[in-house]
Amino acid sequence: MPLPMNIFDKKDFPILARQVHGNPLAYLDNASTTQKPREVIDAVVRFYEWSNANTYRGVHTLGEEATSLYEQARAQIAAYIGCKPNELVFTSGTTESINMVAHAWALNHLKEGDEIVLSVLEHHANLLPWQHVAQKTGAHLRFIPLNEQLELDMHAAQELIGTRTKFVAITHASNAIGTHVDIGRIAVMARAVGARILVDAAQTVPRMGVDLRTMDVDFLAFSGHKMCGPTGIGGLFIRESVHRELEPFMLGGGMVFSVQQEVASFMPMPQLLEAGTPPIAQAVGLAVAARYIEQHTTASELQRLEAGLCRRFIEGIETFNNDAIRIITPTAEAIERGHMVAFEVRGIHAHDVAAYLDRQGIAVRAGNHCAQPLAVYLGISSFVRVSFYGYSDETEVDRLVAALHAFLKA
Ligand code: PMP
C-alpha cells in the first residue's frame, strides 16, 4: 500500500510556511509539541474577542456563553477519548494530571510497605510524583525492565506486580524511544492483585490511540499541545468508580458547594478537582483541535503515515553503508506503528547534530528527553529524536536523510 500523502494540509498551519536560517521549516519535533492549525488559533482569538468571561459565576450572557463553551469542550474531548464528561478533569497537561493523581488519590491511599510499579521507560512527569509519594508514604517503587528488543518485559511485569502492588503507573508509548506498551496486559495483571492503574497517554491521545471504553484503567493523563491544541490545557480521566476515593488537590473557588468559616463542602467531579478560574480559552481551542484531527484523519491512517515516514527514514539511513548512526528505537515496531525514531551519531554529541540540522531548517530534539533514568539504563547520555505528525511528509524525511549524510561527510 502506498504511503498516504501528508494528511493535514500544511497550509492549515501558518507556522509551517516559516523559513528557518533561510530554509523552509521541516518541523520534526512533534513528540515534544505539535503546531496549531489556523482554526485553533482563530477559535482562541474568537473566544477572547467575543465570549470572554469567567465560568459558572456570571448570570450574564457572556458568563453563560463561556460556561457553555467550556462544558461543550469537555463533552467533546470526553467523547474523543471515550469517557463520560464527569470523568474528565481539565488540567494544564500531563504533568499536572499525574501530580493531581498523586495528591488527590495516592497520598491518601498508599502506606508503608505498599508497592508502586512503574517502568524504566517513564518520562520524569510519571516518575517524580511517585518518588514524592514513596518518600511521603513509605511505599516502594519497583521498575519493569525492557527486553533485548527494548520492549517492556512482560514476564518481569508479571513477577513484579504482586500482592504488595497497590498502584501501577505506566506510559502508553515512550516519548524518548517510541516503545509502545500493551496496557491491556498490564491492566489484567494490576486488576488481578486489586491495584489501581494510571496510564501516561501523552504520546497516544494525539494519535486517536485511546478509547477508554475498551481500556480497563483508573486514571489516564494527556496534553492538549501535543494534539494541535493550545499550551496550558490537558486532561485527566478518572473512572467514575474511583470518584468516591478522591480528595481535592487544590482548594478555592469553583469547586465548593457551600462554605462556612471553619468548614466547606465540595462539588462532585469534575469540579472537585478544578479549583480557580479554569483554562477556558484553551479548552475551547482544544475542542477545535480534536475536531480538526477527527475531521481530517483516522487512527489507522495517521499511523500508516507516521510509521511509513519512520520506515523511510530508517531505510534512508541504511543506505549510508556505515555504522555511524545507531538507531535506538525498536525498528520493527517503528515501521509498523511508530511515530518517532531515536538515534545516536557515534562519537558526536546529539546537540551538535541537532544544531547542524537546525541550520538546514530541520527541527529535531536532542538530549535525554526528560527520561534521564532511561538514558542511564540504555547506557547513552544523549540522543537525537525525530518525530512525525499528520502534516509531516516524505520530502522532509528525504531532506533529513540528505542533511545527515552531508553532516557525516563534513
Ligand atoms: N509524558 C510523556 C510520555 C510525554 O511525552 C510528555 C511530554 N514530553 C509528558 C509526560 C509531559 O507532558 P507536559 O509537559 O505536556 O505536561
Side-chain angles (χ1 to χ4, degrees), residues 31-32 93-96 123 125 171 173-175 200 202-203 223 225-226:
S32 185
T94 308
T95 304
E96 192 187 23
H123 187 281
T171 191
S174 157
N175 66 299
D200 172 351
Q203 294 295 329
S223 301
H225 67 91
K226 293 181 198 285

Side-chain angles (χ1 to χ4, degrees), residues 67-378:
T67 306
S68 133
L69 285 168
Y70 184 67
E71 288 307 329
Q72 272 170 35
R74 191 194 309 278
Q76 206 185 317
I77 300 301
Y80 177 90
I81 57 172
C83 71
K84 297 182 196 162
N86 73 334
E87 293 178 312
L88 177 66
V89 179
F90 278 132
T91 65
S92 63
T94 308
T95 304
E96 192 187 23
S97 297
I98 298 175
N99 277 277
M100 194 172 274
V101 177
H103 287 265
W105 187 85
L107 281 174
N108 315 313
H109 283 83
L110 300 186
K111 55 179 193 321
E112 200 168 347
D114 287 347
E115 289 184 358
I116 301 172
V117 174
L118 312 174
S119 83
V120 296
L121 290 169
E122 303 314 317
H123 187 281
H124 294 161
N126 198 28
L127 170 62
L128 273 60
W130 309 121
Q131 291 180 351
H132 177 77
V133 168
Q135 281 155 16
K136 290 282 176 197
T137 61
H140 299 289
L141 301 181
R142 308 290 304 271
F143 293 90
I144 307 172
L146 305 180
N147 63 20
E148 283 194 354
Q149 288 74 45
L150 302 187
E151 298 152 348
L152 207 68
D153 183 337
M154 287 293 176
H155 297 293
Q158 186 72 68
E159 305 220 318
L160 279 170
I161 299 176
T163 49
R164 280 195 289 271
T165 309
K166 292 291 173 315
F167 191 69
V168 178
I170 212 130
T171 191
H172 201 183
S174 157
N175 66 299
I177 61 170
T179 301
H180 286 71
V181 173
D182 183 344
I183 295 296
R185 284 180 71 187
I186 296 288
V188 168
M189 297 176 201
R191 292 295 182 224
V193 296
R196 294 259 174 247
I197 171 163
L198 172 143
V199 177
D200 172 351
Q203 294 295 329
T204 51
V205 166
R207 316 198 138 68
M208 292 186 277
V210 164
D211 181 355
L212 285 157
R213 289 167 304 185
T214 58
M215 261 173 118
D216 183 19
V217 301
D218 300 299
F219 307 97
L220 183 133
F222 62 96
S223 301
H225 67 91
K226 293 181 198 285
M227 51 179 284
C228 294
T231 52
I233 180 89
L236 170 62
F237 157 79
I238 307 182
R239 198 169 290 286
E240 207 165 25
S241 52
V242 185
H243 290 185
R244 63 192 151 76
E245 298 177 10
L246 299 169
E247 285 187 17
F249 168 38
M250 295 212 288
L251 296 104
M255 50 78 74
V256 284
F257 183 65
S258 98
V259 183
Q260 294 162 292
Q261 275 189 336
E262 306 290 335
V263 286
S265 62
F266 307 126
M267 301 278 280
M269 277 280 287
Q271 281 78 27
L272 178 75
L273 295 179
E274 291 188 354
T277 299
I280 315 166
Q282 292 90 329
V284 169
L286 180 58
V288 174
R291 191 185 66 201
Y292 179 89
I293 297 169
E294 285 175 327
Q295 281 179 348
H296 287 85
T297 193
T298 60
S300 61
E301 187 192 38
L302 186 54
Q303 187 173 74
R304 202 153 63 79
L305 171 71
E306 293 178 332
L309 295 173
C310 289
R311 174 195 283 271
R312 193 170 179 97
F313 175 66
I314 291 166
E315 288 176 354
I317 296 298
E318 279 165 2
T319 63
F320 291 1
N321 266 336
N322 61 35
D323 61 359
I325 293 184
R326 186 175 78 87
I327 303 229
I328 301 161
T329 297
T331 46
E333 190 176 312
I335 62 181
E336 193 194 318
R337 56 184 177 141
H339 64 282
M340 70 174 76
V341 181
F343 63 93
E344 62 172 342
V345 182
R346 287 183 217 270
I348 296 173
H349 197 281
H351 285 153
D352 295 334
V353 180
Y356 177 85
L357 294 173
D358 179 57
R359 286 195 294 279
Q360 323 294 317
I362 303 170
V364 300
R365 178 85 192 266
N368 56 49
H369 310 276
C370 293
Q372 282 179 27
L374 175 62
V376 171
Y377 180 89
L378 297 172

